[in-house]
């Protein structure tokens, strides 16, 4: 893997992990602002616990070595959660302020996924890749 790609991967992954971990904790402890936001979007408050746990587990999956398939699932979960958040805010008539966080985390998810090292990818045969094909 080129040094540039490795730097991009780790910067994006660090920011993605910090963002998902912090928002996951905020959702898990049900901060007042987060409860208000989810109620305004029309979702039940218990959804915060589920999303918070998934985000924290997703961060762990992305950061630990090996388990390429688990990483793919975590990236997919982040992608679906953030696109769902963006759509929910748009449907709820929210402005750019509410869209900034989910859009940023979506971009970081895609960048981290795209630049991930070969040993964090699934090969076409189902195992992890041993060589970098980028």
């Amino acid at each position: 893997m080129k040094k540039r790609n490795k730097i991009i991967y780790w910067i994006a992954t660090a920011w993605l992990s910090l963002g998902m971990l912090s928002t996951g904790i905020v959702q898990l402890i049900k901060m007042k602002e987060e409860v208000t936001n989810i109620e305004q979007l029309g979702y039940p408050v218990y959804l915060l616990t589920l999303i918070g746990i998934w985000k924290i587990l997703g961060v762990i999956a992305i950061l630990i070595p090996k388990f390429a398939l688990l990483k793919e699932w975590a990236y997919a979960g982040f992608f679906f959660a953030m696109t769902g958040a963006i759509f929910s805010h748009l449907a709820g008539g929210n402005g750019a302020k509410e869209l900034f966080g989910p859009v940023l985390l979506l971009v970081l998810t895609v960048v981290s996924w795209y630049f991930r090292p070969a040993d964090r990818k699934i090969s076409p045969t189902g195992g992890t890749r041993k060589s970098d094909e980028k």
Side-chain angles (χ1 to χ4, degrees):
M1 173 177 248
K2 295 179 183 174
K3 188 174 183 176
R4 176 188 68 95
N5 289 359
K6 191 177 271 191
I7 291 169
I8 292 170
Y9 167 76
W10 280 112
I11 289 172
T13 303
W15 281 105
L16 172 64
S17 297
L18 287 171
M20 289 296 183
L21 182 63
S22 63
T23 57
I25 290 169
V26 164
Q27 291 165 336
L28 200 55
I29 64 173
K30 295 185 181 78
M31 283 185 64
K32 181 181 174 185
E33 297 84 9
E34 201 67 22
V35 170
T36 302
N37 287 339
I38 202 145
E39 287 176 336
Q40 287 175 346
L41 293 171
Y43 295 110
V45 175
Y46 69 80
L47 193 60
L48 290 174
T49 303
L50 186 60
I51 293 173
I53 290 170
W54 284 344
K55 283 183 177 181
I56 293 167
L57 291 174
V59 168
I60 293 167
I62 284 176
L63 293 178
I64 60 172
K66 302 187 182 184
F67 305 107
L69 182 60
L70 186 60
K71 290 179 193 318
E72 292 293 323
W73 279 85
Y75 279 119
F78 287 166
F79 182 85
F80 295 136
M82 292 306 100
T83 54
I86 292 166
F87 181 80
S88 294
H89 285 296
L90 288 172
N94 293 331
K97 179 183 170 191
E98 288 82 9
L99 288 172
F100 178 76
V103 169
L104 176 61
L105 289 172
L106 178 62
V107 169
L108 290 170
T109 298
V110 171
V111 170
S112 175
W113 176 84
Y114 182 79
F115 286 100
R116 71 200 184 284
D119 64 342
R120 293 175 179 253
K121 295 179 183 178
I122 297 175
S123 74
T125 59
T128 57
R129 291 184 182 177
K130 299 297 180 203
S131 65
D132 192 6
E133 296 178 358
K134 286 186 181 175

